[in-house]
Amino acid sequence: MFGRKKHEETLQEQLSTESPQSRPGAKNRPTPKRREAQAARLNPLVPADRKAAAKAAKQAERAERMRRQEAMRRGEEWALLPRDRGPQRAWIRDMIDVRWNIGEFMLPIMLIGLPFVMISTPNSVVWRLGASVVYGAFAVFILDTILLWFQIRRRHHAKFDTPPARGTFFYVMSRSLSMRRSRLPLPRVNRGQKID
């Protein structure tokens, strides 16, 4: 009878002196009352100031979009589109970026040739000159892309022991068609640099 009270006192002393680190898995805080837990869970479905909430949500979305865009420009894997992900696609991008491509000059050539085609009458000398510039540049671009594709396919098979994935030809074409500064992700290599 008397020993029981003494035993409880020593047990209380042990519990009070025991540090939280000595109890792995413990939450180390008292359990909240039901009223407190329910009050913490209560969130209004509609905020009090809807305009301010919408403005804050729009700013947060814009900040996230800018962060993702910057990460995509740097070439971080998590931010890339699914078509750009993986070491094989990064190697293909490097193969395109290391050389001069005819496709980079297509936009300026089109800007020079199309006004001659639009302004002059069909089958005139000026129209023929503009059409030959536009169609000739397009034919040279296609030929350059095909040669680049064969080179990439041969070296890809030697490096990765597998053929390139489906759709790689159009990936090569679209990347080589865009100007170097406008490519996403940005080029990691300089022109003329050796790639293994």
Side-chain angles (χ1 to χ4, degrees):
M1 190 179 215
F2 296 107
R4 183 175 179 193
K5 189 172 184 182
K6 187 175 181 183
H7 177 68
E8 287 178 0
E9 287 175 1
T10 58
L11 188 61
Q12 287 294 333
E13 287 176 17
Q14 283 180 345
L15 287 176
S16 63
T17 59
E18 193 175 84
S19 66
Q21 286 81 15
S22 64
R23 295 180 49 219
K27 63 183 177 181
N28 299 323
R29 60 180 170 78
T31 303
K33 302 282 186 216
R34 177 178 283 182
R35 259 179 296 161
E36 296 168 0
Q38 286 177 345
R41 278 196 312 256
L42 283 180
N43 291 326
L45 294 176
V46 179
D49 189 4
R50 293 174 70 177
K51 282 188 176 180
K55 189 175 181 181
K58 193 181 266 188
Q59 286 177 345
E61 183 180 317
R62 185 178 199 175
E64 175 62 25
R65 197 169 48 244
M66 294 298 288
R67 185 177 74 89
R68 188 174 189 90
Q69 183 77 10
E70 275 302 311
M72 186 184 295
R73 287 175 61 83
R74 288 190 303 269
E76 294 180 19
E77 194 74 19
W78 66 270
L80 294 177
L81 297 173
R83 68 174 188 164
D84 294 324
R85 291 186 183 151
Q88 296 179 359
R89 285 295 168 109
W91 180 82
I92 290 171
R93 285 194 302 272
D94 291 344
M95 287 291 294
I96 296 167
D97 296 336
V98 82
R99 67 190 289 267
W100 288 94
N101 299 297
I102 301 296
E104 297 177 53
F105 305 105
M106 285 297 291
L107 184 62
I109 291 171
M110 292 290 179
L111 290 175
I112 292 169
L114 282 178
F116 291 117
V117 174
M118 301 287 227
I119 294 171
S120 61
T121 58
N123 293 330
S124 68
V125 175
V126 176
W127 185 87
R128 288 180 185 174
L129 178 68
S132 62
V133 166
V134 170
Y135 290 122
F138 190 72
V140 172
F141 161 68
I142 294 293
L143 181 66
D144 181 55
T145 305
I146 290 171
L147 292 175
L148 175 62
W149 166 245
F150 282 125
Q151 179 187 10
I152 286 175
R153 192 172 70 172
R154 180 177 45 82
R155 291 185 62 185
H156 186 283
H157 194 65
K159 182 173 176 64
F160 296 105
D161 290 330
T162 58
R166 289 184 64 193
T168 305
F169 177 76
F170 293 105
Y171 184 73
V172 168
M173 181 184 284
S174 66
R175 183 144 178 112
S176 65
L177 185 59
S178 60
M179 292 185 181
R180 186 175 173 89
R181 289 184 183 180
S182 64
R183 293 176 184 165
L184 279 180
L186 289 175
R188 302 183 302 179
V189 295
N190 297 324
R191 293 192 200 269
Q193 185 176 330
K194 282 283 187 183
I195 296 178
D196 56 341

